[in-house]
Structures are given as structure tokens and as C-alpha cells.
Amino acid sequence: MKFVTVVGARPQFIKASILSNFFKDSGIVDEITIHTGQHYDDNMSSVFFETLNIPKPKYFLGISNMSHGQMTGQMLLEIEKILMFEKPSLIIVYGDTNSTLAGALAASKLGIKICHIEAGLRSFNNLMPEEINRKITDHLSDLLFSHYLGSVNNLKNEGITKNVFISGDIMKDACLHYAKDNINRSEILSKYKLEQNNYVICTIHRQENTDDLNTLKFLINNLNELSKEIKIVFPIHPRTKKIIRENNILLSSKIIEIDPIDYFDAMRLIKSSKIVLTDSGGLQKEAFYLGKQCITLRTETEWIELVEHGYNILFNRYSQISLLDLYRERCKLEVLDFDLYGDGNCGKMIFDNIIHFVQDEE
Ligand code: UD1
């Protein structure tokens, strides 16, 4: 069986590595990987291939630094050519990036079956490019894996009911399996003179936070204030860095600004932190898997179960409380071991279902 996997952005490398291992071990799947090039810096891309031992992509498209439409269009063109040549029985796409959408569009126009992993997530905010990407991808997909019942209900509300499975979250597999074995090898704490619980980790990259200067300044002002109370480690996304520099937005000297980090350093930083501050979907869940409270720097989240269970809370310009006060409140709360988003064996479940699906189709 030949499958094509499309990846392009940081979290997709992590997610795809889980299934790639199953494919490799099965002896019956020839997996061809296309890397669109959406994320291309060494510390945003190749470091993940090295540390997670992911097979080198057969195709690297080098498509980045463009408007959303142009990026998606270029990817569509190139992926179509590859699919016509490779003739796979299935294409696998992850999440909600422009690479996800381009892969799904290219396959759908050639009648190639599409598997979407992380299906049914919704923020109900159509201004987010990710919301458009995930909706269209779900509607084009033939086999859909959702992390939780809520996502299945979102799909049902849009009329998508066929071949929808609750698999749990594939990032939980990565977090539990990889982190367990490798987290202690990370030297990031000593590198930045950090100790258990004496810092918070913060990431910001969402377009709605970075491209609206008022929002970005509001968040940075709140971080500056919080940094008087606790160290903040800020692995900074290239988009965010560029905008902060171009607009002379001042970060407190108590904020430790560092380059993007590899997966194990990220897991180490989360696990030893006091609390996680982020607008990333991945970090919200990883905070929970590693037993940390999270403050999500957005007006909404797709991972609402974490909010409902009290492990995550939103902070944004409409909050009635400062980040510092919210941090003080949330620090008092614990994350209990609650069984959400699967048991860390999502990859096997997805693998088995993909194989059955393809065998039935052939
Ligand atoms: C993308 C996804 C988002 C996902 C995130 C994971 C879309 C619409 N967004 O957002 O859903 O959560 O990835 O990280 O697909 N850049 C560099 N070096 C790099 C990578 C990017 O300088 O290695 C620059 C790009 O040129 C661009 C900016 O960073 O100017 C943003 O990158 P982009 O690919 O547009 O999206 P992300 O914000 O990373």
C-alpha cells in the first residue's frame, strides 16, 4: 500500500512521526512524505526530523513566506504533480495549516482518498485561517479521526458522519512515549539557569495575536508586568520576533527570549514550569499531559474540554483581570490526573483503521 503524508509545520512533524513508525514497522506500507516547506528554519523543521528520527521527506517543496492564498495555491500545484506521479491509495493530512488544506484539495481533485487526523476541531471563529483550513479539509475527507466526542458532534452538525472515529489525540502518544524516555536528556534548564517551578514558559504565534499590534502590545505589557513576579521563558516564533522588532515593542529584561526549541527541550520546559502561557493548540494539551495549568492567550480555544475541566483558562483583551492576577489564582490549582483525549495509544488505533479502510476500498 502506498500512502502520501503531507507535513509542513512544526506540530505536524511531531504528529506524523507516530504513524510513520507504525507504517515502517508494518512492512506493508510504503509511506511517501511531502514537506511543503511552510516551516523551514532548522530550529522549526530539521531539528524535529533529527530528534524524532523521522524518515527524510522524499519531496521538499520549499514553499513559505507568502500570503495564505499564494502559499496554498503553490502547494496545491506541486502536491498535485507528486500525487499524479506517485498514485497513492491514500493521503494523510494533519491539523489545520495551509499545508493540510493544500494536501486535501490536491487529493480531492484527483479522487484520492483523504485521511484527516485531528478532525472536527472548531474555534467558531472564521477570521482564523486555521478554522477555514480545518473546515474545508473535514468536508473533503473520507476518513476522519477526532480527539474527542465534542469534535465528532461538530462534524455531525455539519453533516459529516461517515468514517468518523474517536481516536484520542495523537500528540498525547508523542508526549507520553517520547517525553518519558528523552526528557531527562534535555539540558535546557541548566542552559538558562532555570529551576523546577521558578519560571513560566510562554509562546505566542497566532496571527490574531501577532498581526493586531494592539493585541500584541497588550499581551507583552501583561507579560512585562508578570515578569516582575516570576521569570518568563519565551521561545519566540519567527513571525512574532519579526513583528516585535519591527515595531520596537519592548520586552522586559526579565523575560528570557530564546530561539525556537526542539521537542524534548519544549517538553522539559513545560514539565518543570510553574504554569504554561500560550496561544498554541499543542502546548495547551502538552501542559495538561505533563500536569501543568495553562493560561491560553486567546479569545477562544478549540480544546474546550481542558477549560471545562478547569485545567485551562482564556486570557485576552476582554479579560476583567490582569495576567499577573490570573497567574496568582491559577498557580494555586492542581492538574489532577484526568483521562482526557485517549490513553496514549491513538497511533495504533488510527493505523489499524487506516489499513482496514484501504483494504476495504481496494
Ligand atoms: C502555522 C499554522 C498554524 C500552526 C502553526 C504551528 C497556518 C495558517 N498556520 O502558523 O495553524 O499552529 O503553523 O507552528 O498554516 N517563518 C520563519 N521560519 C520558519 C517558519 C516560519 O521565519 O521556520 C515565518 C514565515 O515566513 C512567516 C511566519 O514565520 O512569515 C509565520 O509562518 P506561517 O507558516 O505563516 O505560519 P505559523 O504562524 O507558523
Side-chain angles (χ1 to χ4, degrees):
M1 295 176 192
K2 189 192 273 190
F3 301 161
V4 162
T5 295
V6 178
V7 291
R10 209 162 35 167
Q12 291 167 334
F13 310 140
I14 300 163
K15 292 170 193 167
S17 71
I18 299 287
L19 274 188
S20 288
N21 279 325
F22 282 101
F23 293 148
K24 220 177 351 179
D25 293 347
S26 74
I28 55 167
V29 175
D30 177 15
E31 185 192 25
I32 310 276
T33 301
I34 303 176
H35 183 335
T36 60
Q38 183 170 352
H39 286 178
Y40 51 90
D41 287 347
D42 280 350
N43 55 20
M44 299 280 285
S45 173
S46 49
V47 69
F48 292 92
F49 285 83
E50 286 153 22
T51 53
L52 300 175
N53 200 16
I54 309 172
K56 249 188 146 45
K58 180 166 177 188
Y59 299 95
F60 181 80
L61 307 182
I63 299 169
S64 58
N65 267 326
M66 295 171 188
S67 67
H68 287 291
Q70 201 182 357
M71 195 194 286
T72 312
Q74 289 281 345
M75 288 176 187
L76 172 60
L77 265 174
E78 297 305 319
I79 295 171
E80 181 179 63
K81 285 184 212 157
I82 297 169
L83 293 180
M84 286 165 78
F85 175 72
E86 294 286 355
K87 301 187 175 41
S89 17
L90 186 78
I91 186 171
I92 303 169
V93 293
Y94 293 86
D96 56 19
T97 69
N98 294 332
S99 305
T100 313
L101 174 61
L105 275 172
S108 70
K109 291 189 180 291
L110 294 170
I112 294 169
K113 299 288 175 198
I114 303 163
C115 168
H116 186 205
I117 295 174
E118 214 175 83
L121 274 190
R122 295 291 180 268
S123 65
F124 302 102
N125 176 358
N126 278 337
L127 294 174
M128 283 180 79
E130 292 87 352
E131 183 78 350
I132 308 297
N133 292 344
R134 54 173 90 100
K135 271 184 170 170
I136 299 174
T137 302
D138 282 338
H139 281 265
L140 297 176
S141 293
D142 303 281
L143 181 59
L144 302 94
F145 294 98
S146 287
H147 68 291
Y148 206 63
L149 184 63
S151 288
V152 174
N153 288 335
N154 289 338
L155 292 171
K156 207 184 278 172
N157 290 339
E158 293 175 23
I160 304 170
T161 51
K162 202 172 161 209
N163 292 325
V164 175
F165 295 91
I166 300 180
S167 59
D169 174 24
I170 201 159
M171 279 190 114
K172 188 168 189 179
D173 294 28
C175 191
L176 298 189
H177 300 321
Y178 293 153
K180 201 170 77 195
D181 298 335
N182 294 290
I183 204 165
N184 292 332
R185 281 195 240 150
S186 162
E187 292 174 357
I188 191 129
L189 296 185
S190 54
K191 184 169 175 191
Y192 295 106
K193 299 188 177 52
L194 302 167
E195 284 160 24
Q196 185 77 22
N197 284 333
N198 83 341
Y199 67 92
V200 300
I201 172 173
C202 175
T203 74
I204 298 174
H205 80 275
R206 291 270 168 210
Q207 187 176 303
E208 68 262 30
N209 281 335
T210 57
D211 292 18
D212 176 350
L213 272 189
N214 287 331
T215 301
L216 186 60
K217 285 179 183 166
F218 166 83
L219 290 175
I220 300 291
N221 285 342
N222 272 277
L223 289 174
N224 286 342
E225 189 193 11
L226 176 63
S227 72
K228 292 177 191 154
E229 178 137 324
I230 184 146
K231 279 185 208 169
I232 300 177
V233 183
F234 190 17
I236 193 160
H237 186 287
R239 169 210 290 284
T240 315
K241 185 173 185 169
K242 188 161 169 265
I243 296 173
I244 285 179
R245 297 285 185 275
E246 280 174 1
N247 293 283
N248 296 318
I249 300 174
L250 286 184
L251 286 183
S252 151
S253 57
K254 293 194 180 131
I255 297 179
I256 308 168
E257 195 188 307
I258 63 177
D259 285 333
I261 46 182
D262 74 28
Y263 184 66
F264 300 127
D265 284 345
M267 294 305 105
R268 174 80 271 166
L269 275 184
I270 295 170
K271 194 170 168 55
S272 296
S273 69
K274 187 90 179 155
I275 207 168
V276 175
L277 311 175
T278 192
D279 62 2
S280 147
L283 259 85
Q284 290 175 54
K285 292 175 289 160
E286 285 158 348
F288 167 65
Y289 301 147
L290 296 170
K292 296 292 156 178
Q293 278 281 336
C294 181
I295 298 177
T296 293
L297 307 172
R298 285 179 54 193
T299 45
E300 72 276 305
T301 176
E302 299 76 20
W303 304 97
I304 44 164
E305 298 82 13
L306 297 176
V307 175
E308 287 165 359
H309 285 92
Y311 301 140
N312 189 0
I313 190 161
L314 301 176
F315 176 77
N316 53 55
R317 289 172 69 192
Y318 311 103
S319 298
Q320 302 292 316
I321 184 170
S322 70
L323 185 60
L324 174 62
D325 287 338
L326 189 58
Y327 160 78
R328 285 176 178 159
E329 269 183 18
R330 303 303 286 190
C331 276
K332 295 179 202 143
L333 304 178
E334 278 185 77
V335 172
L336 305 169
D337 189 19
F338 191 82
D339 192 19
L340 262 182
Y341 303 154
D343 59 3
N345 291 305
C346 166
K348 171 83 173 88
M349 187 271 183
I350 294 180
F351 169 78
D352 288 344
N353 278 287
I354 287 178
I355 301 296
H356 286 147
F357 174 83
V358 174
Q359 280 169 343
D360 284 353
E361 289 290 318
E362 278 173 351

mmCIF file of all heavy atoms in Angstrom, residues 188-223:
data_model
loop_
_atom_site.group_PDB
_atom_site.id
_atom_site.type_symbol
_atom_site.label_atom_id
_atom_site.label_comp_id
_atom_site.label_asym_id
_atom_site.label_seq_id
_atom_site.Cartn_x
_atom_site.Cartn_y
_atom_site.Cartn_z
ATOM 1 N N ILE A 188 18.215 22.060 28.817
ATOM 2 C CA ILE A 188 17.724 23.437 28.677
ATOM 3 C C ILE A 188 17.617 24.171 30.009
ATOM 4 O O ILE A 188 17.842 25.378 30.075
ATOM 5 C CB ILE A 188 16.389 23.470 27.892
ATOM 6 C CG1 ILE A 188 16.030 24.899 27.517
ATOM 7 C CG2 ILE A 188 15.234 22.842 28.653
ATOM 8 C CD1 ILE A 188 15.700 25.127 26.116
ATOM 9 N N LEU A 189 17.304 23.444 31.072
ATOM 10 C CA LEU A 189 17.147 24.138 32.363
ATOM 11 C C LEU A 189 18.485 24.732 32.806
ATOM 12 O O LEU A 189 18.570 25.903 33.182
ATOM 13 C CB LEU A 189 16.616 23.187 33.437
ATOM 14 C CG LEU A 189 15.208 22.622 33.224
ATOM 15 C CD1 LEU A 189 14.780 21.808 34.439
ATOM 16 C CD2 LEU A 189 14.189 23.714 32.974
ATOM 17 N N SER A 190 19.535 23.934 32.735
ATOM 18 C CA SER A 190 20.839 24.455 33.172
ATOM 19 C C SER A 190 21.324 25.540 32.209
ATOM 20 O O SER A 190 21.916 26.537 32.623
ATOM 21 C CB SER A 190 21.860 23.333 33.313
ATOM 22 O OG SER A 190 21.910 22.614 32.122
ATOM 23 N N LYS A 191 21.025 25.372 30.923
ATOM 24 C CA LYS A 191 21.465 26.367 29.942
ATOM 25 C C LYS A 191 20.951 27.770 30.294
ATOM 26 O O LYS A 191 21.669 28.759 30.150
ATOM 27 C CB LYS A 191 20.964 25.947 28.556
ATOM 28 C CG LYS A 191 21.427 26.837 27.448
ATOM 29 C CD LYS A 191 21.113 26.212 26.090
ATOM 30 C CE LYS A 191 21.472 27.158 24.973
ATOM 31 N NZ LYS A 191 20.960 26.696 23.681
ATOM 32 N N TYR A 192 19.723 27.847 30.759
ATOM 33 C CA TYR A 192 19.145 29.166 31.074
ATOM 34 C C TYR A 192 18.991 29.398 32.583
ATOM 35 O O TYR A 192 18.245 30.285 32.996
ATOM 36 C CB TYR A 192 17.802 29.337 30.345
ATOM 37 C CG TYR A 192 17.996 29.371 28.853
ATOM 38 C CD1 TYR A 192 17.645 28.275 28.068
ATOM 39 C CD2 TYR A 192 18.591 30.456 28.227
ATOM 40 C CE1 TYR A 192 17.858 28.274 26.696
ATOM 41 C CE2 TYR A 192 18.806 30.467 26.852
ATOM 42 C CZ TYR A 192 18.443 29.377 26.092
ATOM 43 O OH TYR A 192 18.656 29.373 24.744
ATOM 44 N N LYS A 193 19.704 28.593 33.366
ATOM 45 C CA LYS A 193 19.704 28.747 34.837
ATOM 46 C C LYS A 193 18.274 28.744 35.404
ATOM 47 O O LYS A 193 17.882 29.625 36.178
ATOM 48 C CB LYS A 193 20.429 30.025 35.248
ATOM 49 C CG LYS A 193 21.874 30.063 34.828
ATOM 50 C CD LYS A 193 22.577 31.271 35.426
ATOM 51 C CE LYS A 193 24.043 31.319 35.082
ATOM 52 N NZ LYS A 193 24.381 31.207 33.655
ATOM 53 N N LEU A 194 17.523 27.742 34.981
ATOM 54 C CA LEU A 194 16.130 27.631 35.443
ATOM 55 C C LEU A 194 16.023 26.487 36.439
ATOM 56 O O LEU A 194 16.764 25.504 36.338
ATOM 57 C CB LEU A 194 15.211 27.350 34.249
ATOM 58 C CG LEU A 194 15.251 28.397 33.146
ATOM 59 C CD1 LEU A 194 14.558 27.872 31.895
ATOM 60 C CD2 LEU A 194 14.580 29.681 33.620
ATOM 61 N N GLU A 195 15.108 26.643 37.362
ATOM 62 C CA GLU A 195 14.871 25.566 38.310
ATOM 63 C C GLU A 195 13.398 25.199 38.293
ATOM 64 O O GLU A 195 12.556 26.008 37.891
ATOM 65 C CB GLU A 195 15.255 26.018 39.721
ATOM 66 C CG GLU A 195 16.766 26.033 39.923
ATOM 67 C CD GLU A 195 17.146 26.915 41.089
ATOM 68 O OE1 GLU A 195 16.291 27.118 41.972
ATOM 69 O OE2 GLU A 195 18.290 27.424 41.078
ATOM 70 N N GLN A 196 13.122 23.991 38.780
ATOM 71 C CA GLN A 196 11.763 23.491 38.881
ATOM 72 C C GLN A 196 10.835 24.571 39.478
ATOM 73 O O GLN A 196 11.148 25.104 40.558
ATOM 74 C CB GLN A 196 11.819 22.253 39.791
ATOM 75 C CG GLN A 196 10.554 21.495 39.958
ATOM 76 C CD GLN A 196 10.265 20.623 38.735
ATOM 77 O OE1 GLN A 196 11.158 20.283 37.958
ATOM 78 N NE2 GLN A 196 9.013 20.284 38.548
ATOM 79 N N ASN A 197 9.770 24.881 38.774
ATOM 80 C CA ASN A 197 8.731 25.794 39.294
ATOM 81 C C ASN A 197 9.167 27.232 39.529
ATOM 82 O O ASN A 197 8.459 27.967 40.213
ATOM 83 C CB ASN A 197 8.185 25.266 40.644
ATOM 84 C CG ASN A 197 7.253 24.113 40.430
ATOM 85 O OD1 ASN A 197 6.629 24.003 39.381
ATOM 86 N ND2 ASN A 197 7.182 23.233 41.404
ATOM 87 N N ASN A 198 10.328 27.647 38.989
ATOM 88 C CA ASN A 198 10.691 29.058 39.231
ATOM 89 C C ASN A 198 10.584 29.906 37.965
ATOM 90 O O ASN A 198 11.143 30.976 37.874
ATOM 91 C CB ASN A 198 12.072 29.189 39.890
ATOM 92 C CG ASN A 198 13.201 29.132 38.863
ATOM 93 O OD1 ASN A 198 13.006 28.649 37.739
ATOM 94 N ND2 ASN A 198 14.359 29.636 39.231
ATOM 95 N N TYR A 199 9.822 29.411 36.991
ATOM 96 C CA TYR A 199 9.627 30.187 35.757
ATOM 97 C C TYR A 199 8.317 29.749 35.107
ATOM 98 O O TYR A 199 7.773 28.680 35.442
ATOM 99 C CB TYR A 199 10.791 29.946 34.783
ATOM 100 C CG TYR A 199 10.822 28.541 34.255
ATOM 101 C CD1 TYR A 199 10.172 28.190 33.070
ATOM 102 C CD2 TYR A 199 11.453 27.521 34.977
ATOM 103 C CE1 TYR A 199 10.165 26.881 32.618
ATOM 104 C CE2 TYR A 199 11.449 26.219 34.522
ATOM 105 C CZ TYR A 199 10.800 25.906 33.339
ATOM 106 O OH TYR A 199 10.777 24.615 32.895
ATOM 107 N N VAL A 200 7.833 30.575 34.196
ATOM 108 C CA VAL A 200 6.727 30.133 33.337
ATOM 109 C C VAL A 200 7.240 30.102 31.897
ATOM 110 O O VAL A 200 8.176 30.830 31.555
ATOM 111 C CB VAL A 200 5.481 31.054 33.434
ATOM 112 C CG1 VAL A 200 4.939 31.102 34.835
ATOM 113 C CG2 VAL A 200 5.781 32.452 32.943
ATOM 114 N N ILE A 201 6.654 29.231 31.099
ATOM 115 C CA ILE A 201 7.012 29.203 29.669
ATOM 116 C C ILE A 201 5.886 29.895 28.896
ATOM 117 O O ILE A 201 4.709 29.705 29.208
ATOM 118 C CB ILE A 201 7.264 27.766 29.158
ATOM 119 C CG1 ILE A 201 7.437 27.761 27.639
ATOM 120 C CG2 ILE A 201 6.193 26.787 29.579
ATOM 121 C CD1 ILE A 201 7.859 26.440 27.038
ATOM 122 N N CYS A 202 6.284 30.700 27.904
ATOM 123 C CA CYS A 202 5.283 31.430 27.127
ATOM 124 C C CYS A 202 5.572 31.284 25.631
ATOM 125 O O CYS A 202 6.731 31.393 25.208
ATOM 126 C CB CYS A 202 5.349 32.909 27.510
ATOM 127 S SG CYS A 202 4.259 33.932 26.521
ATOM 128 N N THR A 203 4.539 31.013 24.845
ATOM 129 C CA THR A 203 4.696 31.072 23.383
ATOM 130 C C THR A 203 3.528 31.857 22.782
ATOM 131 O O THR A 203 2.400 31.773 23.274
ATOM 132 C CB THR A 203 4.742 29.671 22.707
ATOM 133 O OG1 THR A 203 3.427 29.112 22.697
ATOM 134 C CG2 THR A 203 5.694 28.726 23.412
ATOM 135 N N ILE A 204 3.846 32.612 21.742
ATOM 136 C CA ILE A 204 2.821 33.390 21.014
ATOM 137 C C ILE A 204 3.149 33.321 19.520
ATOM 138 O O ILE A 204 4.253 33.671 19.126
ATOM 139 C CB ILE A 204 2.853 34.878 21.431
ATOM 140 C CG1 ILE A 204 2.534 35.039 22.927
ATOM 141 C CG2 ILE A 204 1.897 35.719 20.591
ATOM 142 C CD1 ILE A 204 2.677 36.471 23.442
ATOM 143 N N HIS A 205 2.228 32.829 18.727
ATOM 144 C CA HIS A 205 2.486 32.863 17.282
ATOM 145 C C HIS A 205 1.234 33.074 16.439
ATOM 146 O O HIS A 205 1.320 33.349 15.252
ATOM 147 C CB HIS A 205 3.176 31.569 16.810
ATOM 148 C CG HIS A 205 2.222 30.427 16.633
ATOM 149 N ND1 HIS A 205 1.845 29.621 17.676
ATOM 150 C CD2 HIS A 205 1.546 29.985 15.540
ATOM 151 C CE1 HIS A 205 0.983 28.720 17.239
ATOM 152 N NE2 HIS A 205 0.781 28.918 15.956
ATOM 153 N N ARG A 206 0.053 32.962 17.048
ATOM 154 C CA ARG A 206 -1.177 33.051 16.254
ATOM 155 C C ARG A 206 -1.305 34.400 15.577
ATOM 156 O O ARG A 206 -1.068 35.452 16.192
ATOM 157 C CB ARG A 206 -2.396 32.874 17.151
ATOM 158 C CG ARG A 206 -2.560 31.519 17.705
ATOM 159 C CD ARG A 206 -3.382 30.638 16.813
ATOM 160 N NE ARG A 206 -3.236 29.283 17.294
ATOM 161 C CZ ARG A 206 -3.307 28.222 16.525
ATOM 162 N NH1 ARG A 206 -3.548 28.346 15.238
ATOM 163 N NH2 ARG A 206 -3.160 27.026 17.020
ATOM 164 N N GLN A 207 -1.750 34.329 14.345
ATOM 165 C CA GLN A 207 -1.904 35.560 13.569
ATOM 166 C C GLN A 207 -2.788 36.597 14.275
ATOM 167 O O GLN A 207 -2.502 37.786 14.251
ATOM 168 C CB GLN A 207 -2.514 35.177 12.225
ATOM 169 C CG GLN A 207 -2.592 36.300 11.243
ATOM 170 C CD GLN A 207 -3.115 35.796 9.906
ATOM 171 O OE1 GLN A 207 -2.541 34.887 9.319
ATOM 172 N NE2 GLN A 207 -4.194 36.375 9.437
ATOM 173 N N GLU A 208 -3.853 36.126 14.938
ATOM 174 C CA GLU A 208 -4.753 37.097 15.593
ATOM 175 C C GLU A 208 -4.062 37.812 16.754
ATOM 176 O O GLU A 208 -4.492 38.878 17.176
ATOM 177 C CB GLU A 208 -6.071 36.450 16.036
ATOM 178 C CG GLU A 208 -5.959 35.441 17.160
ATOM 179 C CD GLU A 208 -5.924 33.999 16.677
ATOM 180 O OE1 GLU A 208 -5.422 33.753 15.559
ATOM 181 O OE2 GLU A 208 -6.383 33.114 17.420
ATOM 182 N N ASN A 209 -2.979 37.230 17.269
ATOM 183 C CA ASN A 209 -2.212 37.901 18.326
ATOM 184 C C ASN A 209 -1.061 38.726 17.769
ATOM 185 O O ASN A 209 -0.730 39.782 18.301
ATOM 186 C CB ASN A 209 -1.641 36.866 19.302
ATOM 187 C CG ASN A 209 -2.691 36.390 20.287
ATOM 188 O OD1 ASN A 209 -3.655 37.100 20.559
ATOM 189 N ND2 ASN A 209 -2.516 35.200 20.813
ATOM 190 N N THR A 210 -0.424 38.222 16.711
ATOM 191 C CA THR A 210 0.778 38.906 16.229
ATOM 192 C C THR A 210 0.458 40.031 15.251
ATOM 193 O O THR A 210 1.163 41.043 15.209
ATOM 194 C CB THR A 210 1.719 37.917 15.522
ATOM 195 O OG1 THR A 210 0.998 37.290 14.469
ATOM 196 C CG2 THR A 210 2.245 36.877 16.489
ATOM 197 N N ASP A 211 -0.595 39.861 14.449
ATOM 198 C CA ASP A 211 -0.819 40.827 13.375
ATOM 199 C C ASP A 211 -1.698 41.997 13.805
ATOM 200 O O ASP A 211 -1.829 42.968 13.079
ATOM 201 C CB ASP A 211 -1.411 40.133 12.132
ATOM 202 C CG ASP A 211 -0.379 39.204 11.508
ATOM 203 O OD1 ASP A 211 0.601 38.869 12.210
ATOM 204 O OD2 ASP A 211 -0.549 38.815 10.348
ATOM 205 N N ASP A 212 -2.277 41.898 14.989
ATOM 206 C CA ASP A 212 -3.021 43.030 15.537
ATOM 207 C C ASP A 212 -2.122 43.644 16.617
ATOM 208 O O ASP A 212 -1.963 43.099 17.713
ATOM 209 C CB ASP A 212 -4.349 42.521 16.126
ATOM 210 C CG ASP A 212 -5.132 43.639 16.802
ATOM 211 O OD1 ASP A 212 -4.571 44.745 16.977
ATOM 212 O OD2 ASP A 212 -6.299 43.407 17.163
ATOM 213 N N LEU A 213 -1.522 44.781 16.268
ATOM 214 C CA LEU A 213 -0.499 45.365 17.148
ATOM 215 C C LEU A 213 -1.040 45.700 18.539
ATOM 216 O O LEU A 213 -0.339 45.555 19.533
ATOM 217 C CB LEU A 213 0.058 46.641 16.524
ATOM 218 C CG LEU A 213 1.245 46.436 15.581
ATOM 219 C CD1 LEU A 213 1.837 47.779 15.209
ATOM 220 C CD2 LEU A 213 2.290 45.521 16.199
ATOM 221 N N ASN A 214 -2.298 46.129 18.596
ATOM 222 C CA ASN A 214 -2.869 46.455 19.912
ATOM 223 C C ASN A 214 -2.922 45.207 20.789
ATOM 224 O O ASN A 214 -2.621 45.246 21.975
ATOM 225 C CB ASN A 214 -4.275 47.048 19.775
ATOM 226 C CG ASN A 214 -4.192 48.457 19.231
ATOM 227 O OD1 ASN A 214 -3.194 49.146 19.458
ATOM 228 N ND2 ASN A 214 -5.209 48.872 18.495
ATOM 229 N N THR A 215 -3.303 44.110 20.179
ATOM 230 C CA THR A 215 -3.376 42.861 20.937
ATOM 231 C C THR A 215 -1.986 42.423 21.363
ATOM 232 O O THR A 215 -1.757 42.037 22.512
ATOM 233 C CB THR A 215 -4.041 41.759 20.067
ATOM 234 O OG1 THR A 215 -5.332 42.211 19.710
ATOM 235 C CG2 THR A 215 -4.147 40.443 20.807
ATOM 236 N N LEU A 216 -1.039 42.503 20.433
ATOM 237 C CA LEU A 216 0.321 42.068 20.766
ATOM 238 C C LEU A 216 0.897 42.933 21.896
ATOM 239 O O LEU A 216 1.477 42.420 22.859
ATOM 240 C CB LEU A 216 1.210 42.133 19.517
ATOM 241 C CG LEU A 216 2.611 41.580 19.688
ATOM 242 C CD1 LEU A 216 2.590 40.098 20.082
ATOM 243 C CD2 LEU A 216 3.427 41.734 18.395
ATOM 244 N N LYS A 217 0.695 44.237 21.782
ATOM 245 C CA LYS A 217 1.224 45.138 22.832
ATOM 246 C C LYS A 217 0.542 44.863 24.162
ATOM 247 O O LYS A 217 1.181 44.881 25.214
ATOM 248 C CB LYS A 217 1.010 46.609 22.436
ATOM 249 C CG LYS A 217 1.991 47.059 21.364
ATOM 250 C CD LYS A 217 1.728 48.503 21.004
ATOM 251 C CE LYS A 217 2.648 48.946 19.875
ATOM 252 N NZ LYS A 217 2.223 50.206 19.280
ATOM 253 N N PHE A 218 -0.748 44.592 24.115
ATOM 254 C CA PHE A 218 -1.477 44.273 25.354
ATOM 255 C C PHE A 218 -0.862 43.022 26.000
ATOM 256 O O PHE A 218 -0.604 42.997 27.214
ATOM 257 C CB PHE A 218 -2.962 44.041 25.014
ATOM 258 C CG PHE A 218 -3.735 43.384 26.111
ATOM 259 C CD1 PHE A 218 -4.241 44.142 27.160
ATOM 260 C CD2 PHE A 218 -3.949 42.004 26.123
ATOM 261 C CE1 PHE A 218 -4.950 43.527 28.192
ATOM 262 C CE2 PHE A 218 -4.645 41.395 27.150
ATOM 263 C CZ PHE A 218 -5.143 42.160 28.184
ATOM 264 N N LEU A 219 -0.615 42.012 25.198
ATOM 265 C CA LEU A 219 -0.065 40.768 25.760
ATOM 266 C C LEU A 219 1.339 40.998 26.319
ATOM 267 O O LEU A 219 1.662 40.557 27.421
ATOM 268 C CB LEU A 219 -0.034 39.655 24.690
ATOM 269 C CG LEU A 219 -1.403 39.113 24.272
ATOM 270 C CD1 LEU A 219 -1.264 38.115 23.124
ATOM 271 C CD2 LEU A 219 -2.124 38.451 25.461
ATOM 272 N N ILE A 220 2.156 41.725 25.565
ATOM 273 C CA ILE A 220 3.539 41.956 26.022
ATOM 274 C C ILE A 220 3.535 42.812 27.297
ATOM 275 O O ILE A 220 4.294 42.535 28.232
ATOM 276 C CB ILE A 220 4.384 42.629 24.911
ATOM 277 C CG1 ILE A 220 4.439 41.744 23.659
ATOM 278 C CG2 ILE A 220 5.802 42.965 25.413
ATOM 279 C CD1 ILE A 220 5.208 40.469 23.762
ATOM 280 N N ASN A 221 2.678 43.812 27.358
ATOM 281 C CA ASN A 221 2.597 44.621 28.587
ATOM 282 C C ASN A 221 2.269 43.747 29.787
ATOM 283 O O ASN A 221 2.838 43.895 30.861
ATOM 284 C CB ASN A 221 1.512 45.711 28.466
ATOM 285 C CG ASN A 221 1.989 46.836 27.575
ATOM 286 O OD1 ASN A 221 3.190 46.961 27.329
ATOM 287 N ND2 ASN A 221 1.062 47.641 27.072
ATOM 288 N N ASN A 222 1.321 42.837 29.585
ATOM 289 C CA ASN A 222 0.951 41.941 30.687
ATOM 290 C C ASN A 222 2.090 40.988 31.044
ATOM 291 O O ASN A 222 2.301 40.680 32.216
ATOM 292 C CB ASN A 222 -0.314 41.162 30.330
ATOM 293 C CG ASN A 222 -1.564 41.917 30.721
ATOM 294 O OD1 ASN A 222 -2.000 41.863 31.869
ATOM 295 N ND2 ASN A 222 -2.108 42.678 29.770
ATOM 296 N N LEU A 223 2.823 40.547 30.036
ATOM 297 C CA LEU A 223 3.975 39.671 30.318
ATOM 298 C C LEU A 223 5.044 40.444 31.077
ATOM 299 O O LEU A 223 5.658 39.928 32.021
ATOM 300 C CB LEU A 223 4.572 39.122 29.012
ATOM 301 C CG LEU A 223 3.740 38.082 28.264
ATOM 302 C CD1 LEU A 223 4.393 37.740 26.933
ATOM 303 C CD2 LEU A 223 3.560 36.820 29.098
#
